């Protein structure tokens, strides 16, 4: 009996001890979210800017907390930016009041948990993320050359509202307005024009970098005050931009380059080596610069160069096809997309973009588009561009049935309109961003008769571009088309990663749509024949673009060159956490575009919809000199003149448009001039003799790598003995043995000839 009582007492003591233990460790109340933080999954996140001084944050215990003395503490979790950017974890300067000090002297991302003990009770620890962003300095390099007077599709003469210069004015204006919405108060911007040399803009942009948020909306008006000029000195423009960024070593340096054609003046940009150079200067000598590029074209070598300048990173370049509709919306879309890429850390993302035609509604033109938005959005940014643009605008904006147009901030630039809705809406905290958004737009001032838009008596509808961008710090989309130059015969493997609060979303439907050239554009232009008219400009640009624009006047040719569309569904790979797939082996050269469409149903943020696009430029993989009609002569001035019509081993010509991408690297040899004949033939004039060892390249492909004498093996002017020597060397015989064989042949022929006498 005594043992039973003793056992009972022990059990009761244990129960009491466990109850006391659970009481002291009990976590029954939360930690409140301080002002300025946003909820991102299980974390609350505060975004700060480097250099703004110490930030004091006041944490409070949440509902259900007992009265009594408080003891706050921090438990470090991780530093995702280390070791490149080590973390400085915050501290409680007064752990009895919940006052936390955050250091902003450096840029970093730190994760930790915050808790508080009050007497015998403890709060449920709150996971916290601090993101201290680096200050961003952006230098724009804008093409003001003569070819910018032409139409978007490369044709002449210029048509109202369809010129490349109009597209640049609209695109730069939108880029600046959108950057302003997603920038920090310490970000800076500046820009330079280039034509035959570098030109500074008007004040306040004629000095160095200026405050982006203060001056962004003045950029478009300044750009619109100029007109296209002469030739294309791209290298000089990039060098000037690099100089603007030189003394900002502790900032993130961004160079944004727009060009519409081959460089033909000043110091040339070289992209055939690991480092992009202008003349002989490495652009990154003054510190790391991240370069973004936009170009216009279909198969020209300068597109491959712009891609190389952006290090073949899918999210840092866009090369726009000029085959198709002659309107500026494709240019504007590229500038719109580049903001999302430049400010990726701030999380602007496309839900979708729409390109369509207005429909007639009485005396006006209208459209209606719908977009599905997920939870957790802090900003919606809507862009409208009409072509032509006359009295257009958004007349209705709803989330499901709720009218949110009264709460939108609207801005009208030259050729574009934007609407911004910030969440939470101060006047209507009950309105949430998630749901189906309906956008209704109209255009009332468009007169089809006065704008050459009648076709058989029927008015042609104006076109519109509508993009829907969200600021989402919870959902992230990363995508890639590979990070190297593409050639015929390669296989492209697109990949996408979709995460929510850092966790892979595994149930998404991810589609990749490829728009491939209908034919090999370079070979087509090389063999098409016909004539083209040089435009009335001092910057004729590439014969490739001019010839193509002329040929496209023939509707049968236009149909032949139309894109071939293919679609694949990417599958989730649990090992890499990405959705992957592959397109068929590349068969033709030219400009390819890939559109990504992503949908997912998520238990936390509901339906996720995302859109992105990318490009890659495909070149031939080699040059077969035996098929390339090589001629090497020395002219009366002592210059070496090489004539070549590069042809790949598959029998296809590289075509016109590569003059600016042909490089000669031999001791003492300097390229004086490269003439593009328009049929894929190039005449390369070199100062000095071509001798010794070196390389000749087109794009990133070597035409010749070795001794200069090898080129004579393929020249139309090569004598009989030189051809025998080349034939023997081609079969792997050493040079000394080749000379022995040739000497023996000469002696043998001499003996035969002597015997006949």
């Amino acid at each position: 009996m005594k043992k039973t009582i003793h056992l009972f007492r022990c059990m009761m003591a244990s129960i009491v001890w466990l109850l006391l233990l659970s009481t002291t460790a009990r976590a029954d109340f939360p930690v409140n979210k301080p002002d300025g933080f946003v909820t991102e999954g299980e974390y609350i996140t505060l975004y700060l800017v480097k250099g703004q001084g110490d930030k004091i944050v006041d944490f409070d215990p949440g509902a259900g907390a007992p009265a009594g003395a408080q003891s706050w503490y921090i438990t470090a979790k991780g530093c995702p930016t280390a070791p490149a950017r080590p973390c400085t974890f915050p501290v409680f300067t007064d752990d009895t009041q919940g006052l936390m000090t955050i250091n902003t002297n450096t840029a970093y991302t730190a994760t930790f948990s915050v808790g508080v003990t009050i007497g015998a009770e403890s709060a449920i620890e709150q996971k916290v993320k601090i993101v201290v962003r680096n200050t961003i300095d952006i230098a724009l390099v804008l093409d003001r050359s003569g070819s910018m007077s032409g139409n978007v599709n490369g044709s002449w003469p210029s048509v109202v509202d369809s010129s490349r210069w109009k597209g640049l004015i609209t695109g730069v204006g939108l880029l600046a307005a959108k950057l302003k919405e997603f920038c920090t108060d310490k970000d800076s911007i500046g820009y330079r024009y280039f034509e035959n040399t570098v030109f500074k803009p008007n004040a306040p942009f004629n000095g160095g970098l200026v405050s982006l948020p203060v001056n962004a909306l003045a950029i478009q008006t300044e750009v619109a005050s100029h007109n296209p000029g002469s030739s294309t000195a791209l290298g000089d423009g990039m060098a000037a931009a690099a100089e603007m960024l030189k003394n900002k070593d502790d900032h993130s340096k961004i160079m944004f380059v727009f060009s519409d054609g081959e460089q033909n003046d000043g110091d040339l940009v070289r992209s055939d080596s690991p480092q992009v150079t202008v003349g002989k200067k490495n652009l990154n000598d003054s510190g790391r610069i991240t370069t973004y590029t936009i170009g216009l074209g279909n198969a020209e070598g300068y597109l491959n160069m712009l891609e190389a300048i952006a290090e073949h990173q899918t999210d840092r370049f866009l090369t726009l096809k000029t085959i198709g509709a002659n309107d500026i919306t494709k240019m504007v879309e590229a500038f719109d997309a580049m903001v999302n890429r430049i400010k990726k850390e701030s999380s602007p993302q496309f839900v979708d973009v729409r390109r369509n035609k207005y429909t007639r509604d009485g005396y006006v033109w209208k459209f209606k588009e719908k977009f599905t938005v997920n939870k957790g959005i802090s900003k919606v940014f809507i862009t409208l561009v009409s072509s032509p643009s006359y009295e257009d605008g958004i007349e209705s904006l709803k989330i499901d049935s709720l009218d949110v147009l009264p709460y939108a901030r609207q801005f009208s630039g030259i050729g574009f309109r934007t609407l911004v809705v910030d969440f939470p809406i101060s006047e209507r905290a009950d309105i949430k961003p998630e749901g189906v958004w309906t956008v209704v737009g109209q255009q009332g001032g468009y007169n089809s008769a006065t704008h050459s838009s009648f076709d058989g008596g029927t008015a042609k509808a104006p076109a519109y571009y509508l993009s829907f961008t969200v600021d989402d710090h919870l959902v992230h989309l990363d995508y890639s088309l590979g990070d190297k130059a593409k050639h015929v015969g390669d296989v492209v493997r697109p990949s996408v990663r979709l995460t929510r609060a850092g966790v892979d979303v595994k149930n998404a439907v991810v589609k990749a749509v490829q728009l491939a050239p209908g034919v090999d554009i370079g070979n087509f232009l090389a063999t098409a024949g016909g004539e083209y008219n040089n435009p009335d400009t001092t910057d004729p640009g590439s014969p490739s673009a001019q010839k193509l624009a002329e040929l496209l006047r023939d509707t049968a040719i236009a149909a032949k060159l139309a894109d071939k569309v293919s679609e694949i569904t990417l599958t989730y790979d649990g090992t890499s956490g990405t959705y992957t797939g592959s397109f068929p082996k590349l068969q033709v050269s030219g400009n390819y575009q890939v559109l990504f469409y992503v949908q997912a149903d998520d238990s936390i943020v509901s339906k996720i919809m995302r859109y992105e696009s990318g490009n890659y430029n495909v070149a031939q993989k080699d040059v077969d000199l035996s098929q390339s009609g090589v001629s090497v002569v020395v002219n009366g001035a002592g210059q070496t003149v090489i004539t070549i019509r590069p042809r790949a081993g598959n029998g296809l010509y590289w075509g016109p448009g590569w003059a600016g991408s042909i490089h000669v690297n031999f001791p003492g040899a300097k390229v004086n001039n490269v003439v593009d004949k328009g049929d894929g033939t190039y005449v390369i004039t070199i100062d000095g003799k071509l001798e010794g060892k070196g390389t000749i390249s087109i794009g990133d492909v070597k035409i010749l790598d070795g001794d200069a004498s090898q080129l004579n093996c393929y020249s139309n002017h090569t004598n009989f003995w030189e051809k025998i020597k080349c034939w023997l060397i081609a079969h792997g015989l050493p040079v000394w043995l080749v000379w022995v064989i040739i000497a023996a042949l000469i002696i043998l022929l001499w003996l035969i000839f002597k015997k006949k006498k």
Side-chain angles (χ1 to χ4, degrees):
M1 182 68 179
K2 288 182 178 180
K3 288 184 177 181
T4 303
I5 293 172
H6 178 71
L7 181 61
F8 176 76
R9 287 175 176 173
C10 289
M11 290 176 61
M12 292 301 295
S14 298
I15 292 171
V16 171
W17 182 81
L18 288 171
L19 287 172
L20 289 172
L21 182 64
S22 65
T23 299
T24 57
R26 194 173 65 204
D28 287 339
F29 61 93
V31 173
N32 282 338
K33 181 175 70 174
D35 291 340
F37 282 75
V38 294
T39 301
E40 297 183 350
E42 58 186 348
Y43 283 89
I44 59 171
T45 304
L46 179 64
Y47 290 89
L48 301 170
V49 182
K50 187 182 75 173
Q52 69 180 61
D54 288 345
K55 173 72 174 179
I56 307 298
V57 176
D58 188 3
F59 280 90
D60 292 315
Q70 302 175 10
S71 179
W72 290 86
Y73 61 91
I74 290 173
T75 304
K77 296 291 186 183
C79 182
T81 53
R85 291 184 290 166
C87 293
T88 303
F89 283 94
V91 295
F92 278 110
T93 47
D94 187 343
D95 60 3
T96 66
Q97 297 294 323
L99 296 178
M100 176 190 289
T101 300
I102 302 171
N103 185 294
T104 65
N105 289 337
T106 59
Y108 61 89
T109 297
T111 59
F112 53 92
S113 61
V114 170
V116 60
T117 300
I118 304 177
E121 298 188 34
S122 296
I124 302 169
E125 290 189 355
Q126 174 63 61
K127 292 183 177 180
V128 181
K129 182 189 296 183
I130 300 296
V131 179
V132 182
R133 295 170 173 162
N134 203 359
T135 300
I136 296 179
D137 296 317
I138 304 173
L140 310 181
V141 184
L142 304 178
D143 191 338
R144 205 180 74 176
S145 62
S147 58
M148 289 293 291
S149 296
N151 294 313
V152 173
N153 66 0
S155 63
W156 295 79
S158 179
V159 178
V160 64
D161 285 323
S162 296
S163 75
R164 297 179 175 193
W165 187 247
K166 173 64 182 298
L168 180 69
I169 292 171
T170 305
V172 169
L174 173 58
L175 177 134
K178 193 171 183 180
L179 279 173
K180 184 177 187 297
E181 282 295 328
F182 292 95
C183 73
T184 72
D185 60 0
K186 293 186 178 296
D187 290 348
S188 299
I189 195 167
Y191 57 101
R192 293 292 183 264
Y193 302 105
F194 65 89
E195 42 178 292
N196 64 324
T197 186
V198 177
F199 290 89
K200 292 183 178 181
N202 298 317
F205 306 105
N206 55 338
L209 300 172
V210 298
S211 169
L212 195 160
V214 172
N215 297 283
L217 299 184
I219 292 176
Q220 187 181 41
T221 303
E222 198 287 326
V223 174
S225 69
H226 297 269
N227 289 299
S230 55
S231 51
T232 306
L234 171 62
D236 293 351
M238 292 182 65
E243 188 68 21
M244 294 175 69
L245 298 169
K246 185 170 67 173
N247 296 321
K248 303 291 185 178
D249 290 335
D250 59 338
H251 294 184
S252 294
K253 303 176 183 181
I254 302 293
M255 184 187 297
F256 171 84
V257 179
F258 172 84
S259 182
D260 82 323
E262 283 190 272
Q263 51 186 340
N264 53 28
D265 210 337
D267 284 333
L268 300 184
V269 180
R270 293 285 299 267
S271 60
D272 57 331
S273 61
Q275 298 292 335
V276 174
T277 59
V278 175
K280 295 183 178 180
K281 182 180 179 182
N282 183 345
L283 282 181
N284 282 317
D285 281 348
S286 57
R288 175 63 181 163
I289 297 174
T290 304
T291 307
Y292 296 77
T293 61
I294 294 178
L296 287 173
N298 303 285
E300 297 90 339
Y302 99 97
L303 297 179
N304 292 65
M305 180 194 66
L306 289 178
E307 182 179 328
I309 290 172
E311 300 176 299
H312 303 287
Q313 298 298 312
T314 308
D315 61 351
R316 284 171 45 197
F317 70 89
L318 281 170
T319 51
L320 311 177
K321 300 185 181 189
T322 59
I323 297 175
N326 188 33
D327 66 67
I328 67 170
T329 59
K330 62 179 70 177
M331 287 182 63
V332 178
E333 179 181 350
F335 284 89
D336 194 3
M338 274 301 171
V339 178
N340 295 2
R341 301 172 183 207
I342 291 172
K343 300 296 291 185
K344 189 174 183 179
E345 191 178 65
S346 300
S347 295
Q349 304 167 45
F350 282 138
V351 170
D352 205 350
V353 302
R354 307 286 164 78
R355 312 167 201 84
N356 215 325
K357 298 282 188 180
Y358 283 86
T359 57
R360 175 69 78 178
D361 185 2
Y363 293 100
V364 297
W365 300 89
K366 285 192 175 184
F367 69 78
K368 178 189 287 187
E369 297 285 1
K370 294 179 181 292
F371 302 87
T372 300
V373 175
N374 56 275
K375 297 178 181 178
I377 302 301
S378 59
K379 186 193 297 286
V380 166
F381 187 98
I382 299 171
T383 300
L384 171 64
V385 178
S386 301
S387 182
S389 58
Y390 298 96
E391 299 179 16
D392 60 345
I394 304 297
E395 70 167 19
S396 174
L397 183 65
K398 293 183 178 181
I399 307 175
D400 298 325
S401 60
L402 295 173
D403 183 13
V404 292
L405 189 59
Y407 313 110
R409 292 183 285 111
Q410 301 191 44
F411 176 75
S412 296
I414 302 174
F416 72 93
R417 309 284 180 266
T418 64
L419 282 84
V420 181
V421 182
D422 294 302
F423 290 92
I425 299 173
S426 57
E427 304 95 327
R428 290 289 304 273
D430 59 306
I431 298 179
K432 306 298 181 183
E434 61 268 19
V436 177
W437 289 61
T438 302
V439 184
V440 178
Q442 75 167 28
Q443 189 176 114
Y446 173 68
N447 186 324
S448 56
T450 59
H451 293 96
S452 303
S453 296
F454 265 82
D455 183 9
T458 303
K460 286 184 177 179
Y464 66 86
Y465 162 76
L466 184 72
S467 72
F468 199 103
T469 302
V470 293
D471 190 10
D472 189 343
H473 295 277
L474 192 59
V475 175
H476 291 277
L477 176 70
D478 293 300
Y479 58 98
S480 176
L481 294 167
D483 58 357
K484 65 182 184 67
K486 310 290 191 300
H487 300 92
V488 172
D490 289 347
V491 174
V492 176
R493 296 179 173 86
S495 65
V496 168
R497 187 179 187 192
L498 182 67
T499 59
R500 190 251 306 141
V503 178
D504 290 336
V505 177
K506 303 176 182 179
N507 67 337
V509 177
V510 182
K511 295 185 181 297
V513 179
Q514 178 178 262
L515 283 66
V519 299
D520 190 290
I521 301 294
N523 186 72
F524 172 78
L525 292 174
T527 58
E531 297 182 355
Y532 58 91
N533 297 318
N534 286 320
D536 182 17
T537 172
T538 56
D539 180 45
S542 166
S544 171
Q546 299 163 33
K547 188 173 184 178
L548 180 60
E550 189 67 24
L551 290 169
L552 287 174
R553 295 176 183 271
D554 186 328
T555 55
I557 291 178
K560 182 179 181 180
L561 299 183
D563 286 331
K564 291 183 178 179
V565 181
S566 59
E567 178 182 302
I568 60 174
T569 299
L570 308 188
T571 56
Y572 182 72
D573 176 8
T575 303
S576 63
T578 60
Y579 294 84
T580 60
S582 61
F583 289 111
K585 185 180 295 186
L586 298 171
Q587 300 295 324
V588 298
S589 68
N591 187 351
Y592 290 67
Q593 184 179 18
V594 176
L595 312 177
F596 294 102
Y597 296 95
V598 180
Q599 299 183 34
D601 290 311
D602 184 78
S603 59
I604 303 297
V605 298
S606 67
K607 183 175 284 294
I608 300 170
M609 305 282 286
R610 291 294 185 271
Y611 163 85
E612 267 301 345
S613 67
N615 288 85
Y616 49 89
N617 299 286
V618 179
Q620 299 295 342
K621 67 178 180 180
D622 59 14
V623 175
D624 184 348
L625 288 173
S626 66
Q627 299 187 68
S628 299
V630 179
S631 169
V632 183
V633 298
V634 177
N635 64 16
Q639 297 171 309
T640 301
V641 180
I642 303 172
T643 302
I644 184 171
R645 194 183 187 196
R647 195 174 193 180
N650 59 13
L652 300 179
Y653 290 104
W654 280 67
W658 290 86
S661 299
I662 294 178
H663 304 295
V664 177
N665 290 314
F666 275 90
K670 181 181 178 181
V671 174
N672 178 282
N673 189 28
V674 180
V675 177
D676 185 339
K677 305 294 285 185
D679 65 348
T681 300
Y682 300 90
V683 180
I684 310 165
T685 302
I686 300 169
D687 293 334
K689 290 185 177 181
L690 200 65
E691 55 188 8
K693 292 186 176 181
T695 62
I696 301 176
S697 59
I698 179 169
D700 66 339
V701 172
K702 296 290 191 299
I703 296 176
L704 177 68
D705 187 1
D707 197 280
S709 62
Q710 295 179 32
L711 200 60
N712 292 322
C713 296
Y714 305 97
S715 175
N716 297 330
H717 303 280
T718 300
N719 60 43
F720 173 76
W721 295 109
E722 190 73 22
K723 288 182 178 180
I724 290 178
K725 184 190 77 171
C726 293
W727 182 81
L728 292 171
I729 291 175
H731 282 75
L733 296 180
V735 175
W736 67 268
L737 183 56
V738 169
W739 285 114
V740 169
I741 293 173
I742 290 176
L745 286 172
I746 292 174
I747 293 171
L748 179 62
L749 290 173
W750 178 77
L751 290 172
I752 293 172
F753 180 75
K754 183 178 180 181
K755 186 176 181 180
K756 285 184 177 181
K757 283 188 173 182

